[in-house]
Amino acid sequence: DTVFSIHRSTDMLCDSRSVGARAPVPRGRGGVSDVGPRVKPRPPSTVARRRGTEPWGVLMLRRPGGADFAPGANVFPGGSIHAGDRLLGDPLGGAAVRELFEEVGILLARGARGFATEADAERIRLRITHGVSFPTALKESHLEPALDELFYFSRWVTPEQLRRRFDTRFYLARLPEGQEVHPQPGEVEAWSWVTAAEALGNADFTMVFATRRVLEMVAVDSTANALLDRHRGRRRVPVTRPIFRITEGRFEVVTETLPAIPRARGRPAG
């Protein structure tokens, strides 16, 4: 099983090691600060894929140092919505399925014979290398995106102070049986399956602030089934809108304004 997320929300976020009440935005973000007119946030998606049952694992990617999005950081697979994603039935869910496949080669799709196999994924990859679009390649293979396998569980919108803004949806999904990870050259420097506790407990495992916070929100569930059951069929997903303060010329995320991290079931309060 797997958990994954579809997003491109880095520019408002900070290094994961900043876990105090005020989390400073890292250096190099000055170009996204409050300069020029207000902008409308772009709608990206992120997929947190999970594997295993107890404890479950999440697929994390490390971006190359020169990447536009979260250089050198460990993130979930994800990206921005493309015009062709509306051909997949739902632009947001379609973007999640497409980006997941493009970045790590995992195909969330099914046909008359059942869920997509590793052979199906390899055939789609080959068609894309020949210039065929992802929606067309799926159609040629008599496959449809398995949008019902996506569990939408979190949404983050970057603050208005930033010039580059994103409106990010996070999804959970299971890793299809028999499929393997195929990282995209140039976009993925390294990848790993880690538990939430491993990622959160390793000071050298660099994450942007939102990635860390999302992991903290799901880490309370010790099993994959418990994780999905908690988010299954949710009619309303609250929007997280981080607030910044400027202290001595630095942007800081005010973590007191963020949603509280849930307690594990059965854990006493206090």
Side-chain angles (χ1 to χ4, degrees):
D1 296 331
T2 313
V3 180
F4 67 94
S5 62
I6 297 290
H7 72 257
R8 282 269 189 262
S9 304
T10 331
D11 290 333
M12 69 165 177
L13 309 171
C14 62
D15 190 292
S16 65
R17 289 167 289 186
S18 303
V19 294
R22 296 182 182 178
V25 177
R27 296 176 181 176
R29 298 297 186 207
V32 297
S33 60
D34 188 10
V35 180
R38 291 285 187 263
V39 295
K40 183 178 180 180
R42 294 166 56 194
S45 300
T46 298
V47 185
R49 294 198 61 82
R50 67 177 177 74
R51 182 178 68 174
T53 53
E54 187 176 353
W56 52 271
V58 62
L59 177 60
M60 304 287 289
L61 317 177
R62 188 170 72 237
R63 297 293 182 196
D68 291 335
F69 168 65
N74 293 280
V75 300
F76 307 123
S80 300
I81 294 175
H82 294 178
D85 293 332
R86 62 175 56 92
L87 301 176
L88 299 173
D90 168 49
L92 289 167
V97 172
R98 176 187 52 74
E99 285 284 348
L100 184 67
F101 183 73
E102 289 181 354
E103 292 203 327
V104 293
I106 295 173
L107 183 59
L108 281 184
R110 64 165 62 88
R113 296 179 298 173
F115 217 88
T117 64
E118 179 67 14
D120 292 322
E122 182 59 35
R123 184 166 55 252
I124 299 297
R125 278 191 289 273
L126 180 61
R127 294 298 292 144
I128 290 177
T129 61
H130 286 84
V132 177
S133 69
F134 181 68
T136 299
L138 284 182
K139 186 175 181 180
E140 290 178 348
S141 297
H142 305 288
L143 295 172
E144 295 182 351
L147 301 178
D148 59 318
E149 294 293 324
L150 295 172
F151 294 82
Y152 173 35
F153 73 100
S154 185
R155 179 180 175 187
W156 286 59
V157 177
T158 50
E160 291 187 359
Q161 296 105 311
L162 301 183
R163 189 169 58 194
R164 293 184 63 189
R165 301 186 62 207
F166 299 97
D167 182 349
T168 298
R169 276 77 167 172
F170 290 82
Y171 298 87
L172 304 168
R174 294 179 183 272
L175 174 67
E177 184 177 356
Q179 291 196 33
E180 301 292 337
V181 174
H182 297 268
Q184 182 181 18
E187 292 290 328
V188 180
E189 186 174 77
W191 62 274
S192 60
W193 288 102
V194 296
T195 66
E198 289 170 341
L200 295 170
N202 184 352
D204 295 324
F205 196 79
T206 303
M207 295 179 283
V208 295
F209 180 77
T211 304
R212 168 173 283 273
R213 193 70 175 193
V214 167
L215 276 180
E216 291 173 338
M217 297 295 286
V218 299
V220 299
D221 296 300
S222 60
T223 70
N225 288 337
L227 174 64
L228 290 185
D229 286 345
R230 183 157 62 91
H231 296 285
R232 193 187 311 272
R234 294 181 65 178
R235 294 187 177 182
R236 181 178 177 274
V237 174
V239 181
T240 300
R241 301 177 185 273
I243 295 175
F244 277 174
R245 290 176 182 166
I246 301 178
T247 303
E248 297 180 353
R250 298 181 64 195
F251 279 105
E252 294 179 335
V253 180
V254 184
T255 56
E256 305 100 292
T257 63
L258 298 178
I261 298 172
R263 293 188 180 91
R265 296 180 183 180
R267 179 182 297 174

